[in-house]
Structures are given as structure tokens and as C-alpha cells.
Amino acid sequence: VQLQASGGGQVQAGGSLKLSCLASGSLDKNALGWFRRAPGKDREFVAGVSWTGAATYYSDSVKGRFTISREHAKTTVFLQMDRLEPEDTAVYYCAAASKYHPLSEYQYFGQGTQVTVSS
């Protein structure tokens, strides 16, 4: 499975960005998700969406501000990020899980895209 993320950039606090990720290869009803790694911190789960797109999960830190969605024959996943905060500054990684459930173990990660939020 290959994952190509795009859409990162720099924005002021309170602004919005939308990340996109195209998944290709041997997808077998995999859930897709987003992780991030802030400077000096471990990589953390941000959001996940099931194979059908019907089920979504979010970390507490982004719930209510970020929206994950999936379309284009289930091979593209988006992360709409609103009301961004400086604490959201990180490298964001697209990921594919081993199963259909968005809280399954994630096995594949893309190259990452930088998101920088200035105060």
C-alpha cells in the first residue's frame, strides 16, 4: 500500500487547512487515518475512517475541529482542519490500517506533510 499526502502549509491560528491522501496498491477494505508528530513528541493518532466511510474516530484534542472523510472509490481520504491552534503544528501522516475498523492497527504510513500554525 502506498500513501501520498498533500495539502500541508502554514496558517494563522483560527484558520483552516485541508489535507488529502491518495492510497494505492493492495487495499483490502482497509480503514484510513491520519497521525501527527509534533516536535519533540511521539507520533499520535488524530482521526480514522472506516472502509465504508460510515464510522469515524477522533482524538480528544481535535474532536469538533477536524473532520475526516473518504471518497473516490474509497482510495482518497481527507482531513478538514478548522479552528487550528499552534498546538496543531506537526508533520501529518496518512496511514492505512490492517482491517476495516478505524481503530485497527495501522500498518502503512505515507511520507508526511508539514502543518504549521502561527499565533
Side-chain angles (χ1 to χ4, degrees), residues 54-115:
T56 58
Y57 289 86
Y58 299 91
S59 67
D60 288 341
S61 62
V62 307
K63 196 174 297 181
R65 299 187 298 120
F66 290 10
T67 304
I68 190 170
S69 60
R70 183 170 189 167
E71 58 184 58
H72 299 162
K74 301 180 175 62
T75 60
T76 304
V77 62
F78 303 98
L79 186 67
Q80 176 67 44
M81 305 184 293
D82 298 317
R83 291 185 283 137
L84 282 161
E85 303 169 353
E87 293 73 22
D88 295 317
T89 294
V91 177
Y92 284 71
Y93 299 90
C94 178
S98 57
K99 299 180 181 180
Y100 69 93
H101 196 282
L103 295 182
S104 303
E105 178 183 3
Y106 283 80
Q107 289 184 317
Y108 307 97
F109 291 85
Q111 86 287 2
T113 184
Q114 177 70 46
V115 172

Side-chain angles (χ1 to χ4, degrees), residues 13-37:
S16 299
L17 281 174
K18 186 174 184 177
L19 305 182
S20 301
C21 176
L22 175 64
S24 60
S26 301
L27 291 173
D28 185 19
K29 299 183 178 179
N30 308 70
L32 295 177
W34 291 93
F35 287 70
R36 68 186 181 186
R37 187 193 299 272

